[in-house]
Amino acid sequence: MTESRTHVLASLGIEALNPMQAAAEQAILPGTDTFLMAPTGSGKTLGFLLPVLQLLQPDTGKVQCLVLVPSRELAMQIEQVWRKMATGFKVNVCYGGHSVETEVKNLSNPPALLIGTPGRIADHLTRRTFATDGIETLVLDEFDKSLTLGFHDEMAYIIDNLPNLQTRVLVSATSGVAIPDFIELHNPTWLTFEADEDKPAALTLKAVYTNGPDDRATLFRLLCTLGSESALIFCNLRDTVEQLSDWLNSKGLYSTAYHGALEQADRERALIRFRGGSVTYLITTDLAARGLDIPDMKHVIHYELPDRETEFTHRNGRTARMHASGTAYVMLPKDVPGESTPNPFYLRETLDEFTLPTTTPALPEPPAYVTVYISGGKKNKINKVDIVGFFAQKGQLAKDDLGRLEVGDFMSFASVRRSKVADLLSRIQNEKMKGKKYKIEIAR
């Protein structure tokens, strides 16, 4: 156990577990039930994956652990952490919007760890795509969100079809959540980790006063004041997200929209462009408040405030994560003389004001990178080394001019320095990678 633990930490570049992760490692044992509550950004994913690794047995040929999550984004994030752990155990993800045929093919050689959304996993159970008699461990990550999204029946159906379940792990960032009876927890160990109040608050709240709702001009001034640093901008409605993103782009800023009505491919591409540094701002609904694999944010902007305190908290959890600091900007209408607009109940009566300059600063510099799309991926036997070598040899691209690389099943994305992308595409337009011609272009 110690050897594999040391190997995992080395693979992740981590010297030691934090207290929450160490407690979870001690609590999550065969035949036990555990409830883990810890703040967003505290490292809960590794907190449950590391002990799960110790529960897996090699060469069983069956799914041994099932992780249910409320969103495809969280599923992919957990998969990425598992792959970085370099455990040697196969993992697959299943979620709506992903090719069912591809998932069925992947599951024909069952993974030890299966991650998925309740709707898609329930669909596979109905299809009898994989056997469930080998599943002894169940993890419900952000299970409260799954219930909020209406997955109650699917989760109950799945659990009812796990005949040999021995170990249950419930994970949440929200306290006071009711646990449904169908989960059937037995004498669980409760691990509750609140934010450390003895430490200085890493999150700073600032009020930005506006001339009323939908004050795009004030937001524009704020973004120009922040310079080229990236930010998450939260809205309440999908239409607002689309309109605001289009407007910011028309003003010379680089943003992309992200919300639940987008096709899955468009959502993934928006995140890839944001992660890769080719857009500066992700305009989004509360869908991006948790469960996304994106870099730590220094800036979160509440263009519109949510109705519920929990969503406000989760939005702010995208910044000031782990040991970092960050600022959440709350856009509030100025008080009209003779009138007073009360703040939402979860806000302090007074917030420190972030004072904008009287004149709008110059436009931020364009993002340093451009995201390039490649029409091949892992199923085409293409990996990161192949792409790096192809871009270097055929495209004459220096190592320092290539940023983040993401290789999917049938497509890949690469961040290329903005000043180099035109020359790269020109040089490789008629070249083959591993003997085959692929479509390579700027991702939109």
Side-chain angles (χ1 to χ4, degrees), residues 205-251:
L205 281 177
K206 292 285 187 180
V208 178
Y209 290 103
T210 70
N211 295 316
D214 200 22
D215 187 351
R216 300 176 181 181
T218 297
L219 175 64
F220 180 76
R221 288 171 58 204
L222 171 61
L223 296 179
C224 290
T225 302
L226 298 179
S228 299
E229 295 182 338
S230 59
L232 273 174
I233 303 173
F234 284 100
C235 306
N236 292 336
L237 301 176
R238 296 166 176 174
D239 286 347
T240 308
V241 168
E242 291 284 354
Q243 293 163 10
L244 187 59
S245 180
D246 289 344
W247 186 82
L248 289 174
N249 286 325
S250 74
K251 300 291 287 185

Side-chain angles (χ1 to χ4, degrees), residues 235-295:
C235 306
N236 292 336
L237 301 176
R238 296 166 176 174
D239 286 347
T240 308
V241 168
E242 291 284 354
Q243 293 163 10
L244 187 59
S245 180
D246 289 344
W247 186 82
L248 289 174
N249 286 325
S250 74
K251 300 291 287 185
L253 299 181
Y254 290 76
S255 76
T256 189
Y258 182 84
H259 57 74
L262 293 172
E263 293 291 334
Q264 175 60 22
D266 293 331
R267 284 164 58 179
E268 291 183 11
R269 192 167 296 207
L271 291 180
I272 287 169
R273 293 177 67 211
F274 186 61
R275 284 195 296 258
S278 63
V279 292
T280 310
Y281 312 110
L282 188 70
I283 320 298
T284 181
T285 59
D286 287 326
L287 183 64
R290 47 180 170 171
L292 289 192
D293 177 24
I294 56 177

Side-chain angles (χ1 to χ4, degrees), residues 74-242:
L74 182 55
M76 291 186 288
Q77 178 180 328
I78 296 171
E79 178 201 23
Q80 289 177 357
V81 174
W82 184 263
R83 292 191 185 281
K84 289 178 183 177
M85 290 168 63
T87 67
F89 285 98
K90 183 184 177 185
V91 61
N92 283 130
V93 289
C94 299
Y95 50 83
H98 194 223
S99 166
V100 174
E101 291 74 17
T102 297
E103 292 178 355
V104 170
K105 184 177 180 180
N106 289 336
L107 292 170
S108 64
N109 177 20
L113 177 66
L114 178 60
I115 307 163
T117 53
R120 182 52 66 90
I121 294 297
D123 179 52
H124 281 295
L125 291 185
T126 302
R127 295 169 182 263
R128 301 182 182 272
T129 307
F130 63 93
T132 62
D133 59 329
I135 299 176
E136 297 184 351
T137 303
L138 173 69
V139 179
L140 304 180
D141 193 10
E142 291 193 2
F143 74 97
D144 52 311
K145 184 70 171 178
S146 291
L147 295 172
T148 301
L149 292 174
F151 287 126
H152 184 286
D153 291 345
E154 289 87 348
M155 293 168 71
Y157 171 71
I158 292 167
I159 293 174
D160 191 50
N161 279 274
L162 303 180
N164 297 319
L165 192 58
Q166 298 182 13
T167 306
R168 297 168 179 82
V169 183
L170 273 65
V171 184
S172 177
T174 306
S175 60
V177 179
I179 301 174
D181 292 339
F182 68 77
I183 295 177
E184 299 181 354
L185 284 189
H186 303 291
N187 299 317
T189 299
W190 296 83
L191 302 177
T192 303
F193 290 82
E194 304 285 355
D196 192 342
E197 296 180 357
D198 295 330
K199 293 182 179 180
L203 174 68
T204 302
L205 281 177
K206 292 285 187 180
V208 178
Y209 290 103
T210 70
N211 295 316
D214 200 22
D215 187 351
R216 300 176 181 181
T218 297
L219 175 64
F220 180 76
R221 288 171 58 204
L222 171 61
L223 296 179
C224 290
T225 302
L226 298 179
S228 299
E229 295 182 338
S230 59
L232 273 174
I233 303 173
F234 284 100
C235 306
N236 292 336
L237 301 176
R238 296 166 176 174
D239 286 347
T240 308
V241 168
E242 291 284 354

Side-chain angles (χ1 to χ4, degrees), residues 3-18:
E3 182 179 349
S4 62
R5 181 177 181 272
T6 302
H7 168 75
V8 167
L9 296 186
S11 298
L12 295 171
I14 298 174
E15 294 184 0
L17 300 178
N18 63 33

